[in-house]
Amino acid sequence: MSKNKKVVILGGGPNRIGQGIEFDYCCCHAAYALKEEGIDSIMVNCNPETVSTDYDTSDRLYFEPLTFEDIMHIIELEKPLGVIVQFGGQTPLNLAVPLRRAGVRLLGTSADSIDIAEDRKRFKEMLHKLGLLQPENGTAFTFAEAKAAARGIGYPVLVRPSYVLGGRAMEIVYDESTLEKFIAEAASVSGEHPVLIDKFLEDAIEVDVDLIGDGKAFCIGGIMEHIEEAGIHSGDSAMSLPAYTLSPGTLSKIRQATYKMARELNVTGLMNVQYAVKGAKVFVLEVNPRASRTVPFVSKAIGVPLAKLATKVMLGKRLKDLGFTQEIIPQHFSVKESVFPFNRFPGVDVILGPEMKSTGEVMGIDSDFCRAYIKSQIAAGQKLPKKGNVFISVRDGDKKAVVFVAKKLRDLGFCLYATAGTAEALGKNNIKVKVLPKIAEGRPNVLDLMKDGKIQMVINTPSGRIPRQDEISIRSQVILYNIPYTTTISGAQATVNGIEAMLKKDLGVKSLQEYHARTARS
């Protein structure tokens, strides 16, 4: 048995949607940081497919399930100076309070601060004290309580269980008739904890912020603007660092709110905050006093290994000693895009929502946002066309917004096909488009054209919570024939702007080091 000081790192357990490899990246960097500090790392994880369970990552590996009993046995045997719960996602975070009660020393942010962020009532009290906005919300254990809460808040509402990752059993509910079904589902996942009911802010811009703190000093690692509007899980959204549309005033409000909460929670290590921006107002959606799935992306985008620094901070070092005291705003754009397993599951609808579906992510970098976005799409397997035919079919609420997208596509030389309703809206704006019959009404329809290789891209936004059969058929065929597609207007706008940038100039490639050298010089 080693006589060195030891620290236990709790991993993320089995990889599943919502608890991905990004957390394993953080666990590995924690082990590397401990080695640099001359401390033995003891990894507890039970997934053979992770790097954290490789024989040479940590000094000792316990291939055990992430349960309170198993972890306590390891702690009693190893007698470490502390345990890190921040890097394995929600699974180890849920063990923070039981471990603290058992007398275990948690390195980093205290278990009480973690509980403030996780407990709805305490979290609301903290935001009220700090003068920060939050969407109207309530809690419920039964359908009757949920119905009363939803009526008070006003539809649409976001229904979700407590203490889960990946948006499991989370739904946007627009009326009482669908509320009952989703309350039952969320309650079964939530267990003894209440189901959370929040006002859903339609057409809001979602923002993620990662921060590192040493308990006294705090520094933002990155502010990421989501490309898809609020309502799509952050793990499924494409996002840009730095933000590409937010005003300096809005960014200032986000920074002030983030630092206020970090000070209040006395953050030691990493913290992630999710915001919704609607007009001039910034709403706090949630705070996670742990590493988020965006930490690897932010670290690569700004050239700073945040998980390594966070580990050293937990051991007592100051940010000043580590040379990270000021937010780095890169001179280039980095776009994170999610990768989905839809081609493995024929017939599954590709529409995104609050429950996470992605199984990985990629990154595109360029000095120009549009070109960085295109690179991320290519990396995710979307081979976007430079010419050909585009099929457009959008819900009524998106018909006004899709006009800009369609006009630009026409200007770029694409031929447009659309269903009758979308074609009528485009025609009123003098955009030439070929009308296709609905699938049940005649041929050739869009499915025939896709099969014949005559459609190079599809823009299709869902008509509602329960999509029409035509929409499901179209989106399923898109996957079958590997046709690039987008199911949101914001995604369509970014895609079309990216195609325009790609037509003007070929994409170039530079190393991460070259991008970071440019930021360091500026």
Side-chain angles (χ1 to χ4, degrees), residues 53 69 78 141 337 361 447:
T53 54
E69 292 80 4
E78 292 286 356
F141 284 95
E337 180 58 283
E361 57 189 41
L447 299 184

Side-chain angles (χ1 to χ4, degrees), residues 363-367 371 375 378 505-515:
M363 180 173 175
I365 309 179
D366 203 285
S367 54
R371 296 161 68 76
K375 286 179 179 179
I378 293 167
K505 185 182 170 188
D506 284 338
L507 299 174
V509 178
K510 279 187 199 170
S511 67
L512 273 174
Q513 289 84 348
E514 287 175 271
Y515 282 112

Side-chain angles (χ1 to χ4, degrees), residues 427-503:
K428 284 177 182 173
N429 288 275
N430 299 317
I431 298 169
K432 192 179 171 188
V433 59
K434 296 179 182 176
V435 184
L436 288 176
K438 288 183 179 176
I439 291 166
E441 290 177 354
R443 305 184 77 167
N445 55 48
V446 65
L447 299 184
D448 297 318
L449 293 184
M450 283 198 272
K451 193 175 180 181
D452 293 341
K454 292 178 180 173
I455 298 291
Q456 278 64 53
M457 191 167 80
V458 170
I459 297 169
N460 176 224
T461 63
S463 57
R465 173 66 194 83
I466 300 166
R468 292 193 291 265
Q469 192 53 48
D470 276 19
E471 294 175 14
I472 295 172
S473 301
I474 291 165
R475 293 193 289 262
S476 298
Q477 196 132 324
V478 153
I479 298 300
L480 183 65
Y481 295 112
N482 200 25
I483 299 167
Y485 68 93
T486 178
T487 59
T488 64
I489 288 295
S490 49
Q493 287 168 341
T495 299
V496 172
N497 288 341
I499 289 172
E500 182 181 35
M502 190 167 57
L503 286 168

Side-chain angles (χ1 to χ4, degrees), residues 48-122:
E49 295 185 2
T50 55
V51 180
S52 68
T53 54
D54 282 1
Y55 74 95
D56 57 351
T57 297
S58 56
D59 293 292
R60 290 172 78 79
L61 168 67
Y62 284 88
F63 199 83
E64 299 292 340
L66 274 295
T67 66
F68 174 74
E69 292 80 4
D70 287 284
I71 291 160
M72 285 308 297
H73 288 152
I74 294 163
I75 289 167
E76 284 160 17
L77 176 67
E78 292 286 356
K79 297 180 175 52
L81 65 89
V83 176
I84 295 175
V85 298
Q86 280 191 22
F87 293 145
Q90 194 69 33
T91 304
L93 205 69
N94 288 349
L95 293 163
V97 173
L99 288 171
R100 183 199 62 180
R101 284 185 189 138
V104 175
R105 183 188 174 205
L106 300 182
L107 298 182
T109 305
S110 70
D112 187 56
S113 289
I114 291 169
D115 192 57
I116 290 170
E118 296 282 339
D119 183 279
R120 176 50 63 98
K121 186 168 176 287
R122 297 186 75 192

